[in-house]
Amino acid sequence: MKKTALVIDLDRCIGCYSCEIACKNENKIDLGVQYNKVFTIGPTGSFPNLEMYYLPAVCQSCENAPCVEVCPTGASYVDKDGVILVDSKKCIACMSCISACPYGARKFNEKQQYVEKCTMCSHLLNAGDQPACVKVCCAKARFFGDVNDPESKVSKIIKEAGSAARSLPDEGNHPATRYILHDKTAKWQNKKSWTFFENI
């Protein structure tokens, strides 16, 4: 089954925020709302062995998406490419999906009174293009494709990265988005390391 997701190389990311800006411009996102927010992690360690990196928080394209499971109206759904979307016409603003997402990837649109999130620029995908954040990344740190296809570019990148390709902590939802980071100090599987997601 096809499952498209982002692969983000944190070793290459320079924290330029182009992905944030491109996302807002392409999707006409209101002020105060971000589908793609870049966090600065660190510095950690002791001088001179310091480490700092940038972590873009995006929809994690979960295999077992809790946001979809809890939606009472079917407004949250997975399309043919494995992209998790929200049908604004079906959304009743109960916000169950916002509570269910372990990564704070969903936002409530106060003006329109429905929940919204990253769509991986599905309108561009349908036209045979790539998400805006991938296209504008000047560091070539973002990739998008079918992570279930072993011959896809993203699958090859994940395989080549080996143990440096990781996901955010798995709450049983199996996030498909992968981050590549060759680090020595970050404790990726320690849930306490990710408490900043509560404030996204």
Side-chain angles (χ1 to χ4, degrees), residues 1-9 56 58-67 78-79 81-84 101-103 105 117 120 143-149 152-159 162 164-180 188-189:
M1 182 178 178
K2 189 174 185 179
K3 182 62 181 176
T4 52
L6 286 167
V7 173
I8 305 174
D9 189 339
V58 296
C59 174
Q60 297 299 301
S61 300
C62 302
E63 294 281 355
N64 299 322
C67 56
V78 182
D79 76 359
D81 294 320
V83 177
I84 301 167
C101 177
Y103 312 108
K117 63 173 291 295
M120 300 297 168
F143 309 91
F144 180 81
D146 186 356
V147 293
N148 285 346
D149 177 4
S152 69
K153 183 176 182 178
V154 288
S155 291
K156 291 177 180 178
I157 290 170
I158 292 170
K159 183 177 180 180
R166 323 168 207 212
S167 64
L168 295 188
D170 189 346
E171 301 291 340
N173 46 292
H174 308 308
T177 295
R178 291 290 181 270
Y179 296 94
I180 297 172
W188 283 74
Q189 297 306 319

Side-chain angles (χ1 to χ4, degrees), residues 103-129:
Y103 312 108
R106 289 174 168 242
K107 305 298 175 187
F108 181 63
N109 187 315
E110 294 280 354
K111 188 188 299 183
Q112 301 295 334
Q113 290 293 298
Y114 55 68
V115 174
E116 56 187 359
K117 63 173 291 295
C118 168
T119 66
M120 300 297 168
C121 293
S122 58
H123 59 290
L124 295 180
L125 299 182
N126 291 334
D129 208 345

Side-chain angles (χ1 to χ4, degrees), residues 46-114:
S46 300
F47 182 82
N49 301 310
L50 297 173
E51 178 183 69
M52 185 179 83
Y53 60 94
Y54 301 96
L55 179 71
V58 296
C59 174
Q60 297 299 301
S61 300
C62 302
E63 294 281 355
N64 299 322
C67 56
V68 174
E69 292 177 13
V70 302
C71 181
T73 65
S76 291
Y77 67 100
V78 182
D79 76 359
K80 60 179 174 40
D81 294 320
V83 177
I84 301 167
L85 300 172
V86 179
D87 184 339
S88 59
K89 294 178 182 177
K90 292 183 179 180
C91 180
I92 58 173
C94 69
M95 304 201 206
S96 296
C97 60
I98 291 178
S99 298
C101 177
Y103 312 108
R106 289 174 168 242
K107 305 298 175 187
F108 181 63
N109 187 315
E110 294 280 354
K111 188 188 299 183
Q112 301 295 334
Q113 290 293 298
Y114 55 68

